[in-house]
Amino acid sequence: MNLLDMLNRNTRLLSSKGVRSTALAATMPMRNYKFAFSANMKHTSAKLFRLPCNLVASKADGNLSWNVNQTKEGSSIEGWQVEEVSPVKDFHLTALRLKHPQTGARFLHLARADRNQTFSVGFRTPPPDSSGLPHILEHTVLCGSQLFPVRDPFFKMLGGRTLATFMNAMTGPDYTMYPFATRDPADFGNLMSIYLDAVFRPRLRETDFRQEGWRLEHADPFDSSSPIVFKGVVFNEMKGAFSDPQSLFGQRLLCSLLPKGAYGKVSGGEPLTIPSLSWEDLRSFHAQYYHPGNARFFTYGELNLPRVLEYITENYVEASAKELPAVPEILQEPRWSKPREEHVNCSRDPMAPNPENQSTVAVAAACCDIHDLNETFLLDVLSDLLIRGPEAPFYSRLIEPGLGSGYAPATGYDSSTRDTIFAVGLQGLKSSDVEKAVKSVKEAVNAALSNGEGLEPERVEAVLHRVELAARDESHCMGSSLGLSLLSEITPLWNHDGDIVSFLRVGDRVEFLKRSLKNDPNLLRKATEKYLGEKNSHQLILTMSPKEGFEEMQLKEEQELLQSKIDKLSSQDKEHIVQFGMKLAKEQKQDEDLTCLPRLCASDLSPIPEPDGAVNVKDTMIPIQYSVQPTNGVAYIRATVDVAGLPEDLNSSLPLFCLIASKMGTSHRNARDFDRAVSLSTGGISFGVNVVAAPAPACSPLSLRAFLVMSTMCLERNAAKALKLCSELWQAGAKGSWMDSNRLAVLLREEAVALANGVPHSGHAYAVSAAAARVSPAARKREHSVLGPSYLEIVRKAASQASQSETGAQEILNKIREVGAFLLDHSCGDRLRFSINSSPESEPSIINEVSTFLKTISVGPSSSRVNPFEMGPTLSPELQVAPNTHYVLPLPVNFAAKAIATGVAFKHPDHAPLKILAKLLSARYLHPHIREEGGAYGSGADISTDGVFSFFSYRDPHSIKTLDVFNGSGKWAINSSPKPITETYLEEAKIGIFQRVDAPVPPGNRGLDRFLRGVDDELLKWHREALMTVTCDDLVRVASEYLSVTSKLPVSCALLGPQNDVLEKDSNWKIIVPED
Ligand SMILES: [Zn+2]
């Protein structure tokens, strides 16, 4: 994950969060891997070293010299049989399916005019037990291979040798995959070579296994008197994952509903089962599953397929053994004769909106087989109809009465396992209300069965509209790459050798469903009965509740396991532990010769940024920025209103306004009717807060501004309807039409739960936000209204107040109405701006519709046309001079952060060197100390546009030690010997930065930086040149000026994690324990 991405996401741009039921297969690309554990993540260009794999077509023959259209089914390419050539018009691509006859290796190529090429190799890896074998193997193959015998080549590549827009590896419940994406053809060849060698010829040394999996080691490896403890990257990662009640519940639900085969085991690893895994098991698992016969190769984009095939075949496929081990099919779960019930204990969650209500229940049912594409699509649609929005029977019976705080984890339909799963339930329940919740689930099913509630044709139409829109919209793609999104959608099905090309034809499935519904109007009711009714006896009621002393008990179990292992140690074993620990620690510290790794160079980068295409439209009533793009018939419309002048006492209500504004209905329509209208013609309407520290002034005082942002997207043919709905909503906000306090309470509760659940996944973002808030006005405003502990607290308090009494709810609603009246009234013309992205044909008509919009909200022409980002300071929140902050949370791991207010904003000459220094520190200093030695899952450093230099750690077993590492960074950069800042490292850091700077921007988002942050092509070009010309001396200079311990700059640290004895005694730390 990219910290900057997270922190810069100031606006909620139509993000669909909440239940995964909204994820219609193959269409909603942002679906999370529910049980996927990702190892080496980071988005992450090179050409000094030419790889054996030269995929770079010379400029003369062009990258597209190979023509997909001339490929025929039944022909052969480089020894591979072409089994299928098939256009998929839904995504403007041609799918090629190939098979290698001798080994059985499978290959899918999606040819599409897209420079963002994608590659993946994946394997079916059913876990034999819960020791985390597939997951630990995924980590360990990334620790060096025959061609690339260096520790951790992935991270080394990420450290500035590649322009990859995405690099990762994932372990799913029954598969493991290794995908990457890049827009540079040379880089593609480099990375493909590394990936292939990693999976087919990894070193799999014992030290790698011990580092990544588990080991017994002295707390301090160089002090044999320190206690022996468990260590290991995956061991810690899974402890973190299982401490999160959400992922615990999701995992248990899968294991309990499909217990017999692969899904009954934890592919990621059950923390206390991990120490049963041996190095030998790991190697034999690799031999059994990681071979061409079980491999699924995937490529996407404009690339020369024959060259890719030639390389793979010569080097890995032909070379493999003739007798490849058979890989068993993952079987269907034998169906139960009667439903089952199970219970799970968890720890208490003080972040929950109501500490008393912490039970969770879900009713889950095994559904059809993953291979039945029309049926899985039908179930996707059905799930959406039953769960999503105020008209859905589950929503009205489970969410609206306020029985629980929100849907249970795993709610929705999931078609990523052999037997697909439907689940629905509630979390945040009183334990006494669990039965009531189960009863409500049954009532909802009966309502759908008996009178077709929620299954009305107009609602079906709305869902199918959403499917069409999502298939055309590239802005929510995983890693901004359509290739990756499509890969992630097809992977589970491909893993069972399903018909992946038909699966990609979303339009066909939509048509099939429409025809089926015509032939049988009762189709959806019948499906409800078949899968969710009593006829389906393979159903599970899973409950989960906190148990007093749960964490202590877990700790005790770990201690007992540890002790039993220690008791069995001979003196020889003990000596081995000492020696091995020191060996590993030394190895981790050792500098390696990386010349075997390929790389891109900064000199290969283009000095000119890709233009955002945005222009200011002339002669319009208010400023409109327009960017004409290949949006595939989708229009992206955003409007901002400057919030300057909003009365102080309404500040906390602004984020609440954003949360509820589009979900309360209007003067003409109640919430249900409005929701229906919105989903029939748009992809949703949402509001958010955008906080900007203007890049223009060199340094403080920074001009700080905040904007309310309204966003919508729609098929271009629906733009008039969409803007009409926006107008209706705008007027409702301006007039204060919202009265329904029950609805308010429901919405706030949902958000509070979603936020609290997100903390264990994005704790580092919370920690950075909290630390930065104490040293920067802009960060403080963000922490308060976008992401941070204060924001969480605002929502949590409001949710609790609104749920407790009608008066309490009305009080909140009154303030929200005041915000609307202030920001949206007819005098807002001077503060209002529009940004629109669409295909060229629609430009004139959409501009016309915006004029109509302005008339309906009675806004006159704007008198001011000054650059909104260059006005003087308008908001000046007092900086709170306070100590560091520790947020005590029931987590077994920490998230640490440190923020330094350098005052070096985006346009300051030192900004570029500090940005590169942050990158260099991340790769060369923080990563070895915090991840490799410390066992944390991740770490990094960055500088924000307003000049806050920050450090963070992610899922970190240490706290103080990590803060010491942060504090030592200046000294390391300035005084270490030999000098750590070398030309090579500088080069790597530059490439690393450009990887982010040049990350692909989907058509719908181009020009957004200009619109929301005032960063136009000109400024970007200047910044780019500044980055390219940074020298080693610059880095040393800025390190001593801004990061040395003697600098007098404002500094603050924040820590999220368990109670901490050392910090409690330190007066520089403020301890915050969430109240019960
Ligand atoms: Zn992992």
Coordinates of all heavy atoms in Angstrom, one line a residue, residues 31 98 211 261 272-273 348 408 424 451 616 629 670 676-677 704 713 747 930 954 986 994 1006 1011 1018 1051 1063:
R31 N -12.7 -5.3 -6.0 CA -13.1 -6.3 -4.9 C -11.8 -6.7 -4.2 O -10.8 -6.9 -4.8 CB -13.7 -7.5 -5.6 CG -14.1 -8.5 -4.5 CD -15.0 -9.6 -5.1 NE -14.2 -10.5 -5.9 CZ -14.8 -11.5 -6.5 NH1 -16.1 -11.7 -6.4 NH2 -14.1 -12.3 -7.2
L98 N -4.3 -20.3 -24.6 CA -3.3 -21.3 -25.1 C -2.9 -22.4 -24.1 O -3.1 -22.2 -22.9 CB -2.0 -20.6 -25.5 CG -2.1 -19.4 -26.5 CD1 -2.0 -18.1 -25.7 CD2 -0.9 -19.4 -27.5
Q211 N 13.3 -16.8 8.3 CA 13.0 -15.3 8.4 C 11.5 -15.1 8.1 O 10.9 -14.3 8.8 CB 13.9 -14.6 7.4 CG 13.5 -13.1 7.3 CD 14.3 -12.4 6.2 OE1 15.5 -12.2 6.4 NE2 13.7 -12.1 5.1
G261 N -12.6 -29.9 2.7 CA -11.4 -29.9 1.9 C -10.5 -28.7 2.1 O -10.3 -28.3 3.3
L272 N -0.9 -20.2 15.8 CA -0.2 -21.2 16.7 C 0.0 -22.5 16.0 O 0.6 -23.4 16.5 CB -1.0 -21.3 18.0 CG -1.0 -20.1 18.9 CD1 -1.6 -20.4 20.2 CD2 0.4 -19.5 19.0
T273 N -0.5 -22.6 14.7 CA -0.2 -23.8 14.0 C 1.0 -23.6 13.1 O 1.7 -24.6 12.7 CB -1.4 -24.2 13.1 OG1 -2.6 -24.2 13.9 CG2 -1.3 -25.6 12.5
R348 N -12.4 -8.1 22.9 CA -13.3 -6.9 22.9 C -12.7 -5.8 22.0 O -11.5 -5.6 22.0 CB -13.5 -6.4 24.3 CG -14.8 -6.8 24.9 CD -14.8 -6.5 26.4 NE -14.3 -5.2 26.7 CZ -15.0 -4.1 26.6 NH1 -16.3 -4.1 26.2 NH2 -14.5 -2.9 26.9
A408 N -22.7 -7.9 9.0 CA -21.6 -8.7 9.5 C -20.5 -8.7 8.4 O -20.8 -8.6 7.2 CB -22.0 -10.1 9.8
V424 N -25.2 -13.4 5.1 CA -25.8 -12.2 5.5 C -25.9 -12.2 7.1 O -26.2 -13.2 7.6 CB -27.1 -11.8 4.9 CG1 -28.2 -12.9 5.3 CG2 -27.6 -10.4 5.2
N451 N -43.7 -12.3 -1.4 CA -44.2 -11.3 -2.3 C -43.2 -10.6 -3.2 O -43.4 -9.5 -3.6 CB -45.1 -10.3 -1.5 CG -44.2 -9.7 -0.3 OD1 -43.0 -9.9 -0.3 ND2 -44.9 -9.2 0.7
N616 N -9.7 25.1 -19.3 CA -10.8 25.8 -18.7 C -11.7 26.2 -19.8 O -11.3 26.9 -20.8 CB -10.2 27.1 -18.0 CG -9.4 26.7 -16.8 OD1 -9.8 25.7 -16.1 ND2 -8.3 27.4 -16.6
Q629 N -11.3 12.8 -22.7 CA -10.5 11.5 -22.5 C -11.3 10.3 -23.1 O -12.5 10.4 -23.3 CB -10.3 11.3 -21.0 CG -9.6 12.3 -20.3 CD -8.1 12.3 -20.6 OE1 -7.6 11.4 -21.2 NE2 -7.4 13.4 -20.3
N670 N -38.4 10.5 -0.9 CA -37.8 9.9 0.3 C -36.5 9.2 -0.1 O -36.2 9.0 -1.3 CB -38.8 9.0 1.1 CG -39.2 7.8 0.3 OD1 -38.4 7.3 -0.6 ND2 -40.3 7.2 0.6
R676 N -33.2 4.8 -5.5 CA -33.6 4.1 -6.7 C -33.3 4.9 -8.0 O -32.7 4.4 -8.9 CB -35.1 3.7 -6.7 CG -35.5 2.9 -7.9 CD -37.0 2.6 -7.9 NE -37.4 1.8 -6.8 CZ -38.5 1.1 -6.8 NH1 -39.3 1.1 -7.9 NH2 -38.9 0.3 -5.8
A677 N -33.7 6.2 -7.9 CA -33.5 7.1 -9.1 C -32.0 7.2 -9.3 O -31.5 7.2 -10.5 CB -34.1 8.4 -8.8
L704 N -4.0 27.6 3.3 CA -4.7 26.4 3.6 C -6.2 26.6 3.1 O -6.8 27.5 3.5 CB -4.7 26.0 5.0 CG -5.6 25.0 5.6 CD1 -5.4 23.7 4.9 CD2 -5.4 24.9 7.1
M713 N -20.7 10.0 -11.4 CA -20.3 9.5 -12.7 C -21.5 8.8 -13.3 O -22.4 8.4 -12.5 CB -19.1 8.6 -12.6 CG -19.5 7.3 -12.0 SD -18.2 6.1 -12.5 CE -18.8 4.7 -11.6
L747 N -27.3 5.7 9.3 CA -26.2 6.1 8.4 C -24.9 6.3 9.3 O -23.8 5.8 8.9 CB -26.4 7.3 7.6 CG -27.5 7.1 6.5 CD1 -27.9 8.5 5.9 CD2 -27.1 6.1 5.5
I930 N 13.5 -2.0 10.3 CA 12.1 -2.2 10.8 C 11.5 -3.5 10.3 O 10.8 -4.2 11.1 CB 11.3 -1.0 10.6 CG1 11.9 0.2 11.3 CG2 9.8 -1.2 11.0 CD1 11.2 1.5 11.0
Y954 N 4.3 -0.5 10.0 CA 3.0 -1.1 9.8 C 3.1 -2.5 10.5 O 4.0 -3.3 10.2 CB 2.8 -1.3 8.3 CG 1.4 -1.8 7.9 CD1 0.3 -0.9 8.0 CD2 1.2 -3.1 7.5 CE1 -0.9 -1.4 7.6 CE2 0.0 -3.5 7.1 CZ -1.1 -2.7 7.2 OH -2.3 -3.2 6.8
L986 N 21.0 6.8 -5.0 CA 20.3 8.0 -5.4 C 19.4 7.7 -6.7 O 18.2 8.0 -6.8 CB 21.2 9.2 -5.8 CG 20.7 10.4 -6.4 CD1 19.8 11.2 -5.5 CD2 21.8 11.3 -6.9
F994 N 9.7 8.1 -9.3 CA 9.0 8.3 -10.6 C 8.0 7.2 -10.9 O 7.0 7.4 -11.6 CB 10.0 8.4 -11.8 CG 10.5 9.8 -12.0 CD1 11.7 10.2 -11.4 CD2 9.7 10.7 -12.7 CE1 12.1 11.5 -11.5 CE2 10.1 12.0 -12.8 CZ 11.3 12.4 -12.2
R1006 N -8.1 12.0 -14.9 CA -7.0 12.9 -15.4 C -7.4 14.4 -15.2 O -8.5 14.8 -15.5 CB -6.7 12.6 -16.9 CG -6.0 11.3 -17.0 CD -5.7 10.8 -18.4 NE -5.4 9.4 -18.3 CZ -5.7 8.5 -19.3 NH1 -6.1 9.0 -20.4 NH2 -5.4 7.3 -19.1
F1011 N -7.4 20.2 -10.6 CA -8.7 20.7 -10.1 C -8.7 20.8 -8.6 O -9.2 21.7 -8.0 CB -9.8 19.8 -10.6 CG -11.2 20.3 -10.2 CD1 -11.7 21.5 -10.7 CD2 -11.9 19.5 -9.4 CE1 -12.9 21.9 -10.3 CE2 -13.2 19.9 -9.0 CZ -13.7 21.1 -9.5
E1018 N 2.3 22.4 -15.9 CA 3.5 23.3 -15.8 C 4.2 23.0 -14.4 O 5.5 22.8 -14.4 CB 3.0 24.8 -15.8 CG 4.0 25.8 -16.1 CD 4.7 25.5 -17.5 OE1 4.0 25.0 -18.4 OE2 5.9 25.9 -17.5
V1051 N 8.2 18.6 16.0 CA 8.1 17.2 15.8 C 7.0 16.6 16.6 O 6.8 17.0 17.8 CB 9.5 16.6 16.2 CG1 9.4 15.0 16.1 CG2 10.6 17.1 15.3
L1063 N 5.9 4.1 27.7 CA 5.3 5.4 27.4 C 4.5 5.9 28.5 O 4.4 7.1 28.7 CB 4.4 5.2 26.1 CG 5.2 4.8 24.8 CD1 4.3 4.8 23.6 CD2 6.4 5.7 24.6

